[in-house]
Amino acid sequence: MALKYMNGTNQPAIFTHMTFTTIFVTLAIVISNCLILLVISWTKAFKNVNKWFLLSSTISDLLLGLFVTPFSIFNSLYNSWVFANDIFCCIEAYVAAALLIAGLYSLAWLQVDHYVAIRKPDRYKYVMSPTRSACWIGFVWLVSISFCMPPLFSLRRARYYREAFICIIEAKQQRAYFMTAGLLVAGPAISALFYTSFYMFTKAYKKQLKFYNQVFVDRASRPLNYKINLINSTIFIVCWLPWCLLRVHHAVVSRDKRASPEFHFYFLWLGISTAFVKFIVYVCKSKEFRDGLRESFNVHADNCDCPRCEPHHNIACADACNESTKFVQV
């Protein structure tokens, strides 16, 4: 089955505002997620965040910026599908779908992790042990890949989405499968997000928070990270909702009443932009993350003076001071 809009590259490349958008979003996704990975790997800024789930979320976003969005840059330049192989379009569509599902599930598990840590802190290390977390992440990626596995074998169920310069899964000919699989896959993740986030607005949470802050002083940043992940999850859902509603509108109305191509482009790329928005949220809301960024680039590394070293100002400095103090005491 030949793909639509396979027009080749005979026409000259034209740089438009849509091309600029694809370049900006791609660079923002790659740079921001590389910085988050750097902070996770080299600092203790995320000591009160489950790194398994955060790594899963970050890697899924980074792969989206490396293996999906860059090809849209060339498509937008020539305003057509510029790659000759139809199978490549199918693979791009399935990779994009799998990465988006993995990102959604990772956000959900991050929220579940914060929920358990605050509501049941005495059982947290058992319920969310590293081994269990790794198993859940394996399950997340297995579900993400399996969602597209049946149509993937046929290599015939994708089309070039000309309005947004990207390949998407063609659900028209297998609508029943995607409606059922979509509910079974996205439903649990969205339900978990709503359930664990609703707890933050209850009286029980406020009461538990007072106890938590008094007893678990070393985990003082956990409630803030809980709120940050709520913000990221809300942004994810809100930014993808317009495009989902647009696709429903596109399917039910007649051709002359459909929205203009610009709406398709900007609504889809608004959803894709959530892959780098969490970096902005962390920078704005988390002092520990900002300190981690400074530490990653060795800011103040040469100026570590123990008498002036604050516990949360420079993590590397604080650790060095603590180690030197222990050595002197011994």
Side-chain angles (χ1 to χ4, degrees), residues 132-144:
R132 288 173 180 261
S133 299
C135 290
W136 281 120
I137 287 303
F139 172 76
V140 164
W141 285 91
L142 180 63
V143 168
S144 303

PDB file of all heavy atoms in Angstrom, residues 132-144:
ATOM      1  N   ARG A 132      12.001  -3.650  42.219  1.00  0.00           N
ATOM      2  CA  ARG A 132      10.606  -3.506  41.796  1.00  0.00           C
ATOM      3  C   ARG A 132      10.465  -2.379  40.774  1.00  0.00           C
ATOM      4  O   ARG A 132       9.716  -2.500  39.797  1.00  0.00           O
ATOM      5  CB  ARG A 132       9.712  -3.234  43.009  1.00  0.00           C
ATOM      6  CG  ARG A 132       9.503  -4.445  43.913  1.00  0.00           C
ATOM      7  CD  ARG A 132       8.761  -4.034  45.173  1.00  0.00           C
ATOM      8  NE  ARG A 132       8.556  -5.174  46.053  1.00  0.00           N
ATOM      9  CZ  ARG A 132       7.436  -5.878  46.148  1.00  0.00           C
ATOM     10  NH1 ARG A 132       6.402  -5.545  45.392  1.00  0.00           N
ATOM     11  NH2 ARG A 132       7.320  -6.890  46.975  1.00  0.00           N
ATOM     12  N   SER A 133      11.166  -1.282  41.012  1.00  0.00           N
ATOM     13  CA  SER A 133      11.095  -0.154  40.081  1.00  0.00           C
ATOM     14  C   SER A 133      11.610  -0.539  38.704  1.00  0.00           C
ATOM     15  O   SER A 133      11.018  -0.176  37.674  1.00  0.00           O
ATOM     16  CB  SER A 133      11.903   1.030  40.627  1.00  0.00           C
ATOM     17  OG  SER A 133      11.389   1.464  41.872  1.00  0.00           O
ATOM     18  N   ALA A 134      12.717  -1.293  38.679  1.00  0.00           N
ATOM     19  CA  ALA A 134      13.266  -1.739  37.395  1.00  0.00           C
ATOM     20  C   ALA A 134      12.282  -2.655  36.668  1.00  0.00           C
ATOM     21  O   ALA A 134      12.123  -2.575  35.444  1.00  0.00           O
ATOM     22  CB  ALA A 134      14.600  -2.454  37.623  1.00  0.00           C
ATOM     23  N   CYS A 135      11.599  -3.505  37.433  1.00  0.00           N
ATOM     24  CA  CYS A 135      10.602  -4.399  36.822  1.00  0.00           C
ATOM     25  C   CYS A 135       9.438  -3.610  36.246  1.00  0.00           C
ATOM     26  O   CYS A 135       8.943  -3.922  35.147  1.00  0.00           O
ATOM     27  CB  CYS A 135      10.096  -5.402  37.867  1.00  0.00           C
ATOM     28  SG  CYS A 135      11.309  -6.637  38.349  1.00  0.00           S
ATOM     29  N   TRP A 136       8.999  -2.573  36.966  1.00  0.00           N
ATOM     30  CA  TRP A 136       7.887  -1.759  36.467  1.00  0.00           C
ATOM     31  C   TRP A 136       8.295  -0.988  35.209  1.00  0.00           C
ATOM     32  O   TRP A 136       7.479  -0.824  34.287  1.00  0.00           O
ATOM     33  CB  TRP A 136       7.408  -0.789  37.541  1.00  0.00           C
ATOM     34  CG  TRP A 136       6.533  -1.431  38.575  1.00  0.00           C
ATOM     35  CD1 TRP A 136       6.752  -1.505  39.920  1.00  0.00           C
ATOM     36  CD2 TRP A 136       5.273  -2.082  38.338  1.00  0.00           C
ATOM     37  NE1 TRP A 136       5.725  -2.183  40.526  1.00  0.00           N
ATOM     38  CE2 TRP A 136       4.796  -2.540  39.584  1.00  0.00           C
ATOM     39  CE3 TRP A 136       4.516  -2.332  37.202  1.00  0.00           C
ATOM     40  CZ2 TRP A 136       3.602  -3.225  39.728  1.00  0.00           C
ATOM     41  CZ3 TRP A 136       3.318  -3.013  37.327  1.00  0.00           C
ATOM     42  CH2 TRP A 136       2.874  -3.454  38.571  1.00  0.00           C
ATOM     43  N   ILE A 137       9.537  -0.533  35.168  1.00  0.00           N
ATOM     44  CA  ILE A 137      10.006   0.166  33.970  1.00  0.00           C
ATOM     45  C   ILE A 137      10.069  -0.791  32.786  1.00  0.00           C
ATOM     46  O   ILE A 137       9.705  -0.441  31.655  1.00  0.00           O
ATOM     47  CB  ILE A 137      11.393   0.797  34.228  1.00  0.00           C
ATOM     48  CG1 ILE A 137      11.228   2.018  35.143  1.00  0.00           C
ATOM     49  CG2 ILE A 137      12.056   1.231  32.928  1.00  0.00           C
ATOM     50  CD1 ILE A 137      10.293   3.074  34.608  1.00  0.00           C
ATOM     51  N   GLY A 138      10.517  -2.021  33.036  1.00  0.00           N
ATOM     52  CA  GLY A 138      10.492  -3.024  31.977  1.00  0.00           C
ATOM     53  C   GLY A 138       9.086  -3.273  31.473  1.00  0.00           C
ATOM     54  O   GLY A 138       8.854  -3.408  30.258  1.00  0.00           O
ATOM     55  N   PHE A 139       8.127  -3.290  32.394  1.00  0.00           N
ATOM     56  CA  PHE A 139       6.720  -3.464  32.021  1.00  0.00           C
ATOM     57  C   PHE A 139       6.230  -2.286  31.189  1.00  0.00           C
ATOM     58  O   PHE A 139       5.488  -2.458  30.215  1.00  0.00           O
ATOM     59  CB  PHE A 139       5.872  -3.614  33.284  1.00  0.00           C
ATOM     60  CG  PHE A 139       4.394  -3.617  33.034  1.00  0.00           C
ATOM     61  CD1 PHE A 139       3.759  -4.736  32.511  1.00  0.00           C
ATOM     62  CD2 PHE A 139       3.628  -2.494  33.317  1.00  0.00           C
ATOM     63  CE1 PHE A 139       2.393  -4.728  32.269  1.00  0.00           C
ATOM     64  CE2 PHE A 139       2.271  -2.478  33.085  1.00  0.00           C
ATOM     65  CZ  PHE A 139       1.649  -3.603  32.564  1.00  0.00           C
ATOM     66  N   VAL A 140       6.637  -1.073  31.573  1.00  0.00           N
ATOM     67  CA  VAL A 140       6.234   0.138  30.847  1.00  0.00           C
ATOM     68  C   VAL A 140       6.672   0.055  29.386  1.00  0.00           C
ATOM     69  O   VAL A 140       5.880   0.297  28.462  1.00  0.00           O
ATOM     70  CB  VAL A 140       6.834   1.386  31.525  1.00  0.00           C
ATOM     71  CG1 VAL A 140       6.767   2.592  30.595  1.00  0.00           C
ATOM     72  CG2 VAL A 140       6.102   1.688  32.826  1.00  0.00           C
ATOM     73  N   TRP A 141       7.920  -0.287  29.165  1.00  0.00           N
ATOM     74  CA  TRP A 141       8.432  -0.332  27.795  1.00  0.00           C
ATOM     75  C   TRP A 141       7.864  -1.518  27.021  1.00  0.00           C
ATOM     76  O   TRP A 141       7.671  -1.434  25.796  1.00  0.00           O
ATOM     77  CB  TRP A 141       9.959  -0.358  27.810  1.00  0.00           C
ATOM     78  CG  TRP A 141      10.518   0.986  28.134  1.00  0.00           C
ATOM     79  CD1 TRP A 141      10.827   1.474  29.371  1.00  0.00           C
ATOM     80  CD2 TRP A 141      10.794   2.055  27.223  1.00  0.00           C
ATOM     81  NE1 TRP A 141      11.286   2.763  29.289  1.00  0.00           N
ATOM     82  CE2 TRP A 141      11.287   3.149  27.987  1.00  0.00           C
ATOM     83  CE3 TRP A 141      10.688   2.187  25.844  1.00  0.00           C
ATOM     84  CZ2 TRP A 141      11.659   4.349  27.398  1.00  0.00           C
ATOM     85  CZ3 TRP A 141      11.066   3.393  25.266  1.00  0.00           C
ATOM     86  CH2 TRP A 141      11.545   4.452  26.029  1.00  0.00           C
ATOM     87  N   LEU A 142       7.590  -2.601  27.717  1.00  0.00           N
ATOM     88  CA  LEU A 142       6.966  -3.747  27.055  1.00  0.00           C
ATOM     89  C   LEU A 142       5.568  -3.392  26.561  1.00  0.00           C
ATOM     90  O   LEU A 142       5.184  -3.734  25.433  1.00  0.00           O
ATOM     91  CB  LEU A 142       6.911  -4.937  28.013  1.00  0.00           C
ATOM     92  CG  LEU A 142       6.280  -6.228  27.463  1.00  0.00           C
ATOM     93  CD1 LEU A 142       7.106  -6.750  26.296  1.00  0.00           C
ATOM     94  CD2 LEU A 142       6.173  -7.277  28.565  1.00  0.00           C
ATOM     95  N   VAL A 143       4.802  -2.706  27.404  1.00  0.00           N
ATOM     96  CA  VAL A 143       3.461  -2.271  27.014  1.00  0.00           C
ATOM     97  C   VAL A 143       3.530  -1.292  25.850  1.00  0.00           C
ATOM     98  O   VAL A 143       2.746  -1.372  24.893  1.00  0.00           O
ATOM     99  CB  VAL A 143       2.737  -1.629  28.219  1.00  0.00           C
ATOM    100  CG1 VAL A 143       1.467  -0.920  27.775  1.00  0.00           C
ATOM    101  CG2 VAL A 143       2.403  -2.683  29.261  1.00  0.00           C
ATOM    102  N   SER A 144       4.481  -0.366  25.903  1.00  0.00           N
ATOM    103  CA  SER A 144       4.613   0.640  24.846  1.00  0.00           C
ATOM    104  C   SER A 144       4.924   0.002  23.500  1.00  0.00           C
ATOM    105  O   SER A 144       4.351   0.382  22.474  1.00  0.00           O
ATOM    106  CB  SER A 144       5.726   1.634  25.214  1.00  0.00           C
ATOM    107  OG  SER A 144       5.474   2.239  26.462  1.00  0.00           O
TER     108      SER A 144
END
